Tab-separated table of all heavy atoms in Angstrom:
chain	number	residue	atom	x	y	z
A	1	LEU	N	24.281	31.320	52.593
A	1	LEU	CA	22.890	31.022	52.235
A	1	LEU	C	22.362	32.274	51.559
A	1	LEU	O	22.162	33.311	52.201
A	1	LEU	CB	22.074	30.678	53.484
A	1	LEU	CG	20.558	30.492	53.307
A	1	LEU	CD1	20.243	29.345	52.357
A	1	LEU	CD2	19.871	30.281	54.661
A	2	VAL	N	22.199	32.197	50.236
A	2	VAL	CA	21.844	33.377	49.426
A	2	VAL	C	20.350	33.332	49.121
A	2	VAL	O	19.837	32.346	48.580
A	2	VAL	CB	22.670	33.417	48.129
A	2	VAL	CG1	22.279	34.624	47.274
A	2	VAL	CG2	24.168	33.448	48.456
A	3	LEU	N	19.642	34.413	49.450
A	3	LEU	CA	18.185	34.478	49.302
A	3	LEU	C	17.810	35.432	48.168
A	3	LEU	O	18.250	36.590	48.149
A	3	LEU	CB	17.550	34.971	50.615
A	3	LEU	CG	18.063	34.360	51.932
A	3	LEU	CD1	17.335	34.989	53.116
A	3	LEU	CD2	17.899	32.852	51.930
A	4	LEU	N	17.002	34.944	47.243
A	4	LEU	CA	16.554	35.757	46.104
A	4	LEU	C	15.063	36.008	46.211
A	4	LEU	O	14.262	35.069	46.218
A	4	LEU	CB	16.891	35.053	44.780
A	4	LEU	CG	18.360	34.696	44.543
A	4	LEU	CD1	18.525	34.029	43.175
A	4	LEU	CD2	19.259	35.929	44.645
A	5	HIS	N	14.705	37.284	46.273
A	5	HIS	CA	13.294	37.662	46.445
A	5	HIS	C	12.558	37.692	45.112
A	5	HIS	O	13.167	37.643	44.033
A	5	HIS	CB	13.192	39.011	47.153
A	5	HIS	CG	13.838	40.142	46.407
A	5	HIS	ND1	13.247	40.776	45.344
A	5	HIS	CD2	15.046	40.759	46.572
A	5	HIS	CE1	14.029	41.730	44.894
A	5	HIS	NE2	15.146	41.736	45.611
A	6	GLY	N	11.236	37.786	45.191
A	6	GLY	CA	10.394	37.769	43.996
A	6	GLY	C	10.088	39.160	43.462
A	6	GLY	O	10.674	40.162	43.891
A	7	LEU	N	9.128	39.203	42.566
A	7	LEU	CA	8.793	40.437	41.830
A	7	LEU	C	8.290	41.534	42.762
A	7	LEU	O	8.612	42.701	42.594
A	7	LEU	CB	7.736	40.120	40.766
A	7	LEU	CG	7.471	41.139	39.680
A	7	LEU	CD1	8.745	41.554	38.972
A	7	LEU	CD2	6.478	40.593	38.654
A	8	PHE	N	7.473	41.160	43.734
A	8	PHE	CA	6.984	42.153	44.709
A	8	PHE	C	7.576	41.877	46.086
A	8	PHE	O	7.065	42.314	47.089
A	8	PHE	CB	5.456	42.114	44.781
A	8	PHE	CG	4.794	42.604	43.533
A	8	PHE	CD1	4.310	41.707	42.591
A	8	PHE	CD2	4.668	43.955	43.274
A	8	PHE	CE1	3.711	42.148	41.426
A	8	PHE	CE2	4.061	44.409	42.113
A	8	PHE	CZ	3.589	43.514	41.183
A	9	GLY	N	8.663	41.101	46.104
A	9	GLY	CA	9.228	40.645	47.372
A	9	GLY	C	10.044	41.722	48.049
A	9	GLY	O	11.053	42.169	47.516
A	10	ALA	N	9.601	42.130	49.230
A	10	ALA	CA	10.390	43.055	50.040
A	10	ALA	C	11.374	42.251	50.876
A	10	ALA	O	11.198	41.048	51.089
A	10	ALA	CB	9.459	43.865	50.938
A	11	LEU	N	12.401	42.917	51.368
A	11	LEU	CA	13.374	42.228	52.213
A	11	LEU	C	12.714	41.696	53.478
A	11	LEU	O	13.153	40.698	54.049
A	11	LEU	CB	14.513	43.180	52.564
A	11	LEU	CG	15.363	43.666	51.377
A	11	LEU	CD1	16.429	44.627	51.845
A	11	LEU	CD2	15.988	42.493	50.645
A	12	SER	N	11.633	42.353	53.907
A	12	SER	CA	10.919	41.912	55.112
A	12	SER	C	10.346	40.500	54.951
A	12	SER	O	10.105	39.811	55.938
A	12	SER	CB	9.789	42.892	55.451
A	12	SER	OG	8.876	42.983	54.363
A	13	ASN	N	10.160	40.058	53.694
A	13	ASN	CA	9.666	38.690	53.451
A	13	ASN	C	10.588	37.649	54.074
A	13	ASN	O	10.165	36.556	54.412
A	13	ASN	CB	9.589	38.389	51.940
A	13	ASN	CG	8.535	39.214	51.230
A	13	ASN	OD1	8.086	40.231	51.748
A	13	ASN	ND2	8.162	38.801	50.049
A	14	PHE	N	11.862	37.994	54.195
A	14	PHE	CA	12.863	37.044	54.670
A	14	PHE	C	13.261	37.272	56.131
A	14	PHE	O	14.206	36.655	56.618
A	14	PHE	CB	14.133	37.142	53.808
A	14	PHE	CG	13.960	36.612	52.404
A	14	PHE	CD1	14.385	37.367	51.315
A	14	PHE	CD2	13.407	35.372	52.169
A	14	PHE	CE1	14.257	36.874	50.013
A	14	PHE	CE2	13.270	34.865	50.875
A	14	PHE	CZ	13.696	35.622	49.799
A	15	LYS	N	12.555	38.148	56.828
A	15	LYS	CA	12.983	38.535	58.181
A	15	LYS	C	13.176	37.329	59.094
A	15	LYS	O	14.226	37.169	59.724
A	15	LYS	CB	11.966	39.499	58.800
A	15	LYS	CG	12.369	39.942	60.208
A	15	LYS	CD	11.319	40.777	60.898
A	15	LYS	CE	11.807	41.224	62.274
A	15	LYS	NZ	12.219	40.117	63.157
A	16	ASP	N	12.164	36.459	59.194
A	16	ASP	CA	12.253	35.311	60.108
A	16	ASP	C	13.340	34.336	59.671
A	16	ASP	O	14.006	33.718	60.508
A	16	ASP	CB	10.898	34.596	60.184
A	16	ASP	CG	9.838	35.472	60.854
A	16	ASP	OD1	9.960	35.711	62.059
A	16	ASP	OD2	8.908	35.909	60.162
A	17	LEU	N	13.503	34.206	58.366
A	17	LEU	CA	14.516	33.306	57.826
A	17	LEU	C	15.915	33.821	58.180
A	17	LEU	O	16.777	33.058	58.624
A	17	LEU	CB	14.323	33.204	56.309
A	17	LEU	CG	14.784	31.914	55.617
A	17	LEU	CD1	14.079	31.774	54.280
A	17	LEU	CD2	16.261	31.920	55.384
A	18	ILE	N	16.129	35.126	58.018
A	18	ILE	CA	17.432	35.719	58.351
A	18	ILE	C	17.695	35.586	59.849
A	18	ILE	O	18.777	35.165	60.275
A	18	ILE	CB	17.503	37.210	57.930
A	18	ILE	CG1	17.347	37.352	56.414
A	18	ILE	CG2	18.825	37.826	58.388
A	18	ILE	CD1	17.106	38.786	55.960
A	19	ASP	N	16.685	35.941	60.668
A	19	ASP	CA	16.844	35.890	62.121
A	19	ASP	C	17.274	34.493	62.579
A	19	ASP	O	18.110	34.354	63.472
A	19	ASP	CB	15.520	36.248	62.830
A	19	ASP	CG	15.207	37.735	62.764
A	19	ASP	OD1	16.102	38.516	62.386
A	19	ASP	OD2	14.073	38.115	63.087
A	20	TYR	N	16.694	33.482	61.972
A	20	TYR	CA	16.973	32.104	62.373
A	20	TYR	C	18.323	31.611	61.840
A	20	TYR	O	19.155	31.115	62.598
A	20	TYR	CB	15.846	31.196	61.877
A	20	TYR	CG	15.997	29.742	62.293
A	20	TYR	CD1	15.534	29.302	63.517
A	20	TYR	CD2	16.621	28.822	61.450
A	20	TYR	CE1	15.675	27.976	63.905
A	20	TYR	CE2	16.777	27.494	61.831
A	20	TYR	CZ	16.301	27.079	63.060
A	20	TYR	OH	16.456	25.774	63.442
A	21	PHE	N	18.545	31.769	60.544
A	21	PHE	CA	19.709	31.119	59.926
A	21	PHE	C	21.012	31.888	60.099
A	21	PHE	O	22.084	31.328	59.874
A	21	PHE	CB	19.436	30.817	58.450
A	21	PHE	CG	18.626	29.572	58.265
A	21	PHE	CD1	17.261	29.649	58.056
A	21	PHE	CD2	19.209	28.313	58.366
A	21	PHE	CE1	16.500	28.496	57.938
A	21	PHE	CE2	18.453	27.155	58.240
A	21	PHE	CZ	17.094	27.245	58.036
A	22	LYS	N	20.946	33.148	60.551
A	22	LYS	CA	22.213	33.866	60.790
A	22	LYS	C	22.993	33.235	61.940
A	22	LYS	O	24.181	33.516	62.116
A	22	LYS	CB	21.944	35.353	61.052
A	22	LYS	CG	21.267	35.643	62.373
A	22	LYS	CD	21.080	37.143	62.581
A	22	LYS	CE	20.459	37.408	63.949
A	22	LYS	NZ	20.277	38.851	64.182
A	23	GLN	N	22.327	32.368	62.723
A	23	GLN	CA	23.022	31.639	63.795
A	23	GLN	C	23.912	30.526	63.229
A	23	GLN	O	24.817	30.047	63.903
A	23	GLN	CB	22.003	30.989	64.738
A	23	GLN	CG	20.972	31.928	65.341
A	23	GLN	CD	19.869	31.143	66.027
A	23	GLN	OE1	20.027	30.679	67.149
A	23	GLN	NE2	18.753	30.964	65.339
A	24	TYR	N	23.617	30.100	61.997
A	24	TYR	CA	24.291	28.924	61.428
A	24	TYR	C	25.033	29.220	60.118
A	24	TYR	O	25.940	28.482	59.751
A	24	TYR	CB	23.268	27.816	61.137
A	24	TYR	CG	22.352	27.524	62.302
A	24	TYR	CD1	21.060	28.053	62.355
A	24	TYR	CD2	22.793	26.741	63.373
A	24	TYR	CE1	20.226	27.795	63.436
A	24	TYR	CE2	21.959	26.474	64.453
A	24	TYR	CZ	20.672	27.004	64.477
A	24	TYR	OH	19.860	26.747	65.556
A	25	ASN	N	24.592	30.247	59.399
A	25	ASN	CA	25.110	30.524	58.057
A	25	ASN	C	25.435	32.000	57.902
A	25	ASN	O	24.960	32.845	58.656
A	25	ASN	CB	24.065	30.166	56.979
A	25	ASN	CG	23.811	28.682	56.885
A	25	ASN	OD1	23.050	28.120	57.664
A	25	ASN	ND2	24.451	28.026	55.933
A	26	ARG	N	26.204	32.294	56.859
A	26	ARG	CA	26.324	33.680	56.395
A	26	ARG	C	25.121	33.904	55.475
A	26	ARG	O	25.097	33.396	54.341
A	26	ARG	CB	27.629	33.869	55.616
A	26	ARG	CG	27.890	35.320	55.207
A	26	ARG	CD	29.132	35.406	54.337
A	26	ARG	NE	30.311	34.890	55.001
A	26	ARG	CZ	31.100	35.596	55.810
A	26	ARG	NH1	30.848	36.864	56.019
A	26	ARG	NH2	32.158	35.035	56.369
A	27	VAL	N	24.126	34.621	55.959
A	27	VAL	CA	22.888	34.821	55.188
A	27	VAL	C	23.035	36.093	54.360
A	27	VAL	O	23.315	37.176	54.892
A	27	VAL	CB	21.654	34.927	56.115
A	27	VAL	CG1	20.385	35.034	55.277
A	27	VAL	CG2	21.567	33.706	57.033
A	28	VAL	N	22.857	35.943	53.054
A	28	VAL	CA	23.100	37.043	52.112
A	28	VAL	C	21.837	37.287	51.289
A	28	VAL	O	21.271	36.348	50.715
A	28	VAL	CB	24.269	36.692	51.163
A	28	VAL	CG1	24.536	37.841	50.195
A	28	VAL	CG2	25.527	36.344	51.949
A	29	VAL	N	21.389	38.532	51.262
A	29	VAL	CA	20.205	38.877	50.468
A	29	VAL	C	20.562	40.016	49.512
A	29	VAL	O	20.577	41.190	49.914
A	29	VAL	CB	19.017	39.317	51.362
A	29	VAL	CG1	17.731	39.396	50.525
A	29	VAL	CG2	18.832	38.390	52.547
A	30	PRO	N	20.896	39.719	48.260
A	30	PRO	CA	21.118	40.809	47.303
A	30	PRO	C	19.791	41.473	46.951
A	30	PRO	O	18.764	40.799	46.820
A	30	PRO	CB	21.700	40.097	46.081
A	30	PRO	CG	21.222	38.684	46.185
A	30	PRO	CD	21.047	38.385	47.643
A	31	ILE	N	19.796	42.778	46.853
A	31	ILE	CA	18.591	43.492	46.421
A	31	ILE	C	18.595	43.486	44.894
A	31	ILE	O	19.443	44.125	44.263
A	31	ILE	CB	18.571	44.922	46.984
A	31	ILE	CG1	18.569	44.856	48.524
A	31	ILE	CG2	17.363	45.692	46.467
A	31	ILE	CD1	18.723	46.185	49.215
A	32	LEU	N	17.692	42.722	44.320
A	32	LEU	CA	17.675	42.566	42.859
A	32	LEU	C	17.208	43.864	42.204
A	32	LEU	O	16.215	44.467	42.640
A	32	LEU	CB	16.764	41.406	42.458
A	32	LEU	CG	17.161	40.025	43.007
A	32	LEU	CD1	16.166	38.963	42.554
A	32	LEU	CD2	18.575	39.649	42.568
A	33	PRO	N	17.885	44.303	41.143
A	33	PRO	CA	17.565	45.591	40.503
A	33	PRO	C	16.379	45.459	39.540
A	33	PRO	O	16.507	45.676	38.333
A	33	PRO	CB	18.866	45.924	39.765
A	33	PRO	CG	19.403	44.587	39.371
A	33	PRO	CD	19.028	43.633	40.485
A	34	LEU	N	15.214	45.116	40.101
A	34	LEU	CA	14.043	44.855	39.256
A	34	LEU	C	13.677	46.071	38.405
A	34	LEU	O	13.172	45.921	37.293
A	34	LEU	CB	12.844	44.474	40.134
A	34	LEU	CG	13.034	43.272	41.062
A	34	LEU	CD1	11.783	43.059	41.902
A	34	LEU	CD2	13.352	42.013	40.268
A	35	PHE	N	13.930	47.268	38.939
A	35	PHE	CA	13.490	48.476	38.245
A	35	PHE	C	14.662	49.338	37.772
A	35	PHE	O	14.466	50.463	37.321
A	35	PHE	CB	12.574	49.298	39.165
A	35	PHE	CG	11.468	48.479	39.755
A	35	PHE	CD1	11.390	48.274	41.116
A	35	PHE	CD2	10.513	47.879	38.939
A	35	PHE	CE1	10.375	47.504	41.669
A	35	PHE	CE2	9.495	47.107	39.475
A	35	PHE	CZ	9.426	46.920	40.837
A	36	ASP	N	15.883	48.808	37.896
A	36	ASP	CA	17.066	49.627	37.598
A	36	ASP	C	17.835	49.203	36.356
A	36	ASP	O	18.685	49.943	35.868
A	36	ASP	CB	18.026	49.618	38.803
A	36	ASP	CG	17.363	50.150	40.063
A	36	ASP	OD1	16.524	51.064	39.935
A	36	ASP	OD2	17.651	49.631	41.156
A	37	LEU	N	17.569	47.993	35.868
A	37	LEU	CA	18.246	47.563	34.632
A	37	LEU	C	17.603	48.258	33.440
A	37	LEU	O	16.443	48.669	33.486
A	37	LEU	CB	18.099	46.038	34.476
A	37	LEU	CG	18.753	45.161	35.554
A	37	LEU	CD1	18.391	43.696	35.320
A	37	LEU	CD2	20.274	45.337	35.559
A	38	ASN	N	18.367	48.378	32.336
A	38	ASN	CA	17.717	48.923	31.140
A	38	ASN	C	16.691	47.918	30.647
A	38	ASN	O	16.730	46.741	30.997
A	38	ASN	CB	18.741	49.318	30.058
A	38	ASN	CG	19.395	48.111	29.406
A	38	ASN	OD1	18.719	47.197	28.928
A	38	ASN	ND2	20.714	48.101	29.359
A	39	ILE	N	15.771	48.370	29.836
A	39	ILE	CA	14.605	47.548	29.490
A	39	ILE	C	15.007	46.249	28.784
A	39	ILE	O	14.374	45.208	28.972
A	39	ILE	CB	13.567	48.354	28.659
A	39	ILE	CG1	12.204	47.649	28.621
A	39	ILE	CG2	14.088	48.639	27.268
A	39	ILE	CD1	11.478	47.595	29.934
A	40	LEU	N	16.095	46.263	28.014
A	40	LEU	CA	16.526	45.055	27.312
A	40	LEU	C	17.077	44.005	28.275
A	40	LEU	O	17.032	42.817	28.004
A	40	LEU	CB	17.580	45.389	26.251
A	40	LEU	CG	17.074	46.180	25.042
A	40	LEU	CD1	18.225	46.533	24.118
A	40	LEU	CD2	16.012	45.388	24.270
């Protein structure tokens, strides 16, 4: 179960979701490189 956060989304946004679904799924949250990609 892969979770993608928003523009101002911190990982804490998904805390309750991770806590719950880790009992049933492999819960994966990639940290999106919003500020690390080159501008193009």
Side-chain angles (χ1 to χ4, degrees):
L1 173 61
V2 179
L3 315 179
L4 303 181
H5 61 79
L7 194 53
F8 292 100
L11 296 178
S12 59
N13 293 18
F14 290 131
K15 180 186 182 304
D16 293 292
L17 207 159
I18 298 168
D19 286 348
Y20 183 86
F21 279 99
K22 70 178 183 179
Q23 305 169 80
Y24 310 100
N25 292 82
R26 185 185 302 274
V27 184
V28 181
V29 191
I31 299 173
L32 299 179
L34 303 178
F35 309 116
D36 301 326
L37 297 174
N38 71 52
I39 196 68
L40 291 176

